[in-house]
Amino acid sequence: MAVDYAVIVVYLAGMLAMGWWGMRRAKSKSEFLVAGRRLGPGMYSGTMAAIVLGGASTIGGVGLGYKYGLSGAWMVLTIGLGLLALSVFFSARIARLKVYTVSEMLDLRYGGRAGIISGVVMWAYTLMLAVTSTIAYATIFDVLFDVNRTVAIVLGGTIVVAYSTLGGMWSITLTDMVQFVVKTIGVLLLLLPIAVVKAGGFSEMKAQLPTEYFDPLGIGGETIFTYVLIYTFGMLIGQDIWQRVFTARSDRTARWGGTVAGTYCLVYAIAGAVIGTAAKVMYPDLASSDAAFATIVKDELPMGVRGLVLAAALAAVMSTSSGALIACATVANNDIWSRLRGAVVRSGGGDEPHDEVKGNRAFILIMGIAVILIAIALNDVVEALTVAYNLLVGGLLVPILGGLLWRRGTATGALSAVCVGGLTVVGLMAYYGILANQPIYYGLLSSLAVYVVVSLATPPTDAAVLAAWRERLAGRGSSPSGASTTSSSGG
């Protein structure tokens, strides 16, 4: 394993070096949180693909392929479809808003009264998303170094927190670009063909496995429908995804770069399912389907290649973890703490000049430590991820898409939808169980019903607010401090 260790150590050292380089470049709030809004198509596509394809898409995607065959691709396929929908229909308008968070968008659309509650829901989502990614380090480092779970989480989490804290979005963008390349080589170009060959080719796979392993809908229609609700819609509204859209240097970059990234996700989904199906032929009796990725890598790949593929898995986890971490810190600082601080100032508490980059850097560090501690305390990745997406989609999907698509939606309707949808999801998860489908179904329906009824029952949004909103959507309105409204070269 010496060669494999060397590959991993070089990779991890490179991540830290890029964090240090990013620190020298991130001199303003815009540079630190959204990479100066200057990414070109190449870097934008690579980093967007890197953040959405995390440990769940890689280790979990292979595990679903092991359990269900080719239909195990549906989870990652719905992620790719969500990214395509976001890129084609919404990304240009989102990029033109020149904001930093989803809650700022809600404030603009509804007149400044929807932000803090939506910020709390979005913070809970991004926190749990970062936790699930951090838990996944345990699987990879256990294969690599045979260390216990807590040490693995602390080791992986510390590296991500370090480079994210140092350089913010610039460091994360650079590391994500490297991680995208490593994932492409490790998973698509090496592990996929090697797994198929080791399993005897597609003809042998078909001969060895039941026919349902090759049924595109074998995982079940209800499961696919639930994946669409959670992951496709989740891609449309997550702070971690929107924050990447904000990095695009133009709305054209956001649209076409995101379309390329979404298409890449579809290919990655099929690859993971095929690798898992091949693993089922080679190891038909694994105790856990999630062990399929680590087992095939450990037993079937030659040295050096094994290290690169494990680095690819590590890259997948790190890219999602770092993206969720900076999103969590951005929401905590800009949507929650800054509002509370502003309330104190307005009540006569006084205001002191503060360094916005230093403040955001401090929040990344604080949130990073919290994520590591929570990850150590939790065990079930799937449950934590389900809680995150149920809260996000049940609480925020309707107010966000309603704000973008329905002129008659009001601030009171949006706040009511957030509260009712979120509470419904939480209550039904407690009643039916975290992994049940009912919470997200009824949460969305209740949120939609309340949004429409309350919006129609309350006065329309002020005409001046809507006029300012339309100006921002068209890219003509004023932007927040630190946001550049002019396009510049980059990426």
Side-chain angles (χ1 to χ4, degrees):
M1 292 285 286
V3 175
D4 299 323
Y5 290 160
V7 171
I8 297 296
V9 169
V10 168
Y11 168 76
L12 294 177
M15 297 299 99
L16 292 173
M18 288 182 183
W20 183 260
W21 186 90
M23 181 178 68
R24 299 172 59 191
R25 186 158 186 173
K27 301 297 185 183
S28 68
K29 179 180 179 180
S30 177
E31 295 281 350
F32 190 81
L33 293 182
V34 290
R37 308 185 194 274
R38 290 192 289 149
L39 298 192
M43 289 193 76
Y44 180 86
S45 297
T47 57
M48 182 62 88
I51 188 177
V52 300
L53 296 173
S57 300
T58 304
I59 298 170
V62 171
L64 287 171
Y66 182 89
K67 190 173 183 180
Y68 297 106
L70 298 186
S71 67
W74 272 106
M75 184 185 77
V76 185
L77 282 174
T78 56
I79 291 173
L81 293 173
L83 184 52
L84 285 171
L86 174 72
S87 302
V88 172
F89 298 113
F90 300 109
S91 63
R93 284 185 283 177
I94 293 169
R96 287 195 292 265
L97 289 173
K98 303 296 183 188
V99 295
Y100 292 104
T101 68
V102 175
S103 294
E104 286 182 42
M105 167 262 165
L106 291 172
D107 274 353
L108 282 171
R109 168 59 181 82
Y110 294 113
R113 289 187 290 149
I116 193 162
I117 294 177
S118 63
V120 171
V121 175
M122 188 64 76
W123 173 78
Y125 156 73
T126 53
L127 180 71
M128 294 305 291
L129 186 62
V131 167
T132 59
S133 302
T134 305
I135 291 172
Y137 295 129
T139 300
I140 301 168
F141 281 102
D142 177 54
V143 175
L144 280 172
F145 305 119
D146 193 26
V147 296
N148 71 50
R149 181 178 181 279
T150 300
V151 173
I153 289 172
V154 171
L155 178 59
T158 299
I159 293 170
V160 169
V161 171
Y163 73 70
S164 301
T165 301
L166 286 171
M169 187 59 84
W170 268 121
S171 295
I172 293 170
T173 296
L174 293 170
T175 54
D176 276 0
M177 200 63 206
V178 173
Q179 288 157 357
F180 169 73
V181 173
V182 171
K183 277 193 289 194
T184 302
I185 295 172
V187 175
L188 297 185
L189 302 184
L190 292 176
L191 184 57
L192 174 61
I194 289 173
V196 172
V197 170
K198 292 279 188 178
F202 286 106
S203 58
E204 182 65 19
M205 289 162 63
K206 285 189 174 182
Q208 292 287 334
L209 296 172
T211 54
E212 55 263 28
Y213 265 70
F214 302 92
D215 179 358
L217 304 178
I219 198 170
E222 185 177 355
T223 298
I224 295 170
F225 181 65
T226 302
Y227 284 159
V228 170
L229 286 183
I230 294 176
Y231 297 115
T232 302
F233 288 143
M235 287 295 107
L236 297 180
I237 58 174
Q239 169 68 25
D240 51 324
I241 310 301
W242 278 40
Q243 199 156 342
R244 295 310 173 97
V245 176
F246 300 152
T247 66
R249 72 183 178 194
S250 67
D251 53 6
R252 182 180 176 85
T253 296
R255 181 183 294 114
W256 292 109
T259 301
V260 171
T263 304
Y264 178 91
C265 291
L266 303 184
V267 174
Y268 200 88
I270 296 169
V274 171
I275 292 167
T277 305
K280 183 66 175 180
V281 173
M282 290 182 278
Y283 310 98
D285 301 313
L286 289 178
S288 168
S289 59
D290 284 340
F293 180 89
T295 303
I296 196 171
V297 169
K298 193 173 184 179
D299 293 350
E300 302 297 336
L301 300 186
M303 67 177 183
V305 174
R306 180 171 51 215
L308 185 58
V309 173
L310 286 171
L314 196 58
V317 176
M318 283 186 159
S319 56
T320 301
S321 181
S322 58
L325 177 59
I326 193 171
C328 177
T330 301
V331 171
N333 187 19
N334 292 271
D335 291 336
I336 300 174
W337 172 247
S338 292
R339 293 169 193 270
L340 296 175
R341 186 172 175 274
V344 171
V345 171
R346 288 192 298 273
S347 66
D351 190 17
E352 298 177 3
H354 63 286
D355 184 333
E356 288 188 315
V357 172
K358 185 182 291 185
N360 281 292
R361 185 173 281 137
F363 265 86
I364 291 179
L365 180 60
I366 293 167
M367 291 297 108
I369 293 170
V371 163
I372 291 172
L373 294 175
I374 296 170
I376 291 170
L378 293 180
N379 286 314
D380 197 312
V381 177
V382 175
E383 288 196 357
L385 191 64
T386 302
V387 170
Y389 274 98
N390 279 354
L391 280 173
L392 175 70
V393 175
L396 292 179
L397 177 70
V398 170
I400 292 171
L401 293 190
L404 289 169
L405 300 174
W406 192 39
R407 176 187 174 92
R408 187 60 180 81
T410 67
T412 306
L415 284 171
S416 301
V418 172
C419 295
V420 171
L423 291 174
T424 300
V425 163
V426 171
L428 292 179
M429 280 193 295
Y431 181 76
Y432 286 107
I434 289 174
L435 298 179
N437 292 325
Q438 289 90 338
I440 191 63
Y441 294 166
Y442 295 127
L444 266 177
L445 286 174
S446 62
S447 179
L448 177 61
V450 167
Y451 180 71
V452 172
V453 170
V454 175
S455 291
L456 292 175
T458 52
T461 304
D462 186 85
V465 171
L466 287 177
W469 166 252
R470 287 194 295 271
E471 286 291 301
R472 288 290 286 273
L473 277 179
R476 296 189 295 267
S478 59
S479 60
S481 175
S484 171
T485 55
T486 58
S487 296
S488 56
S489 61

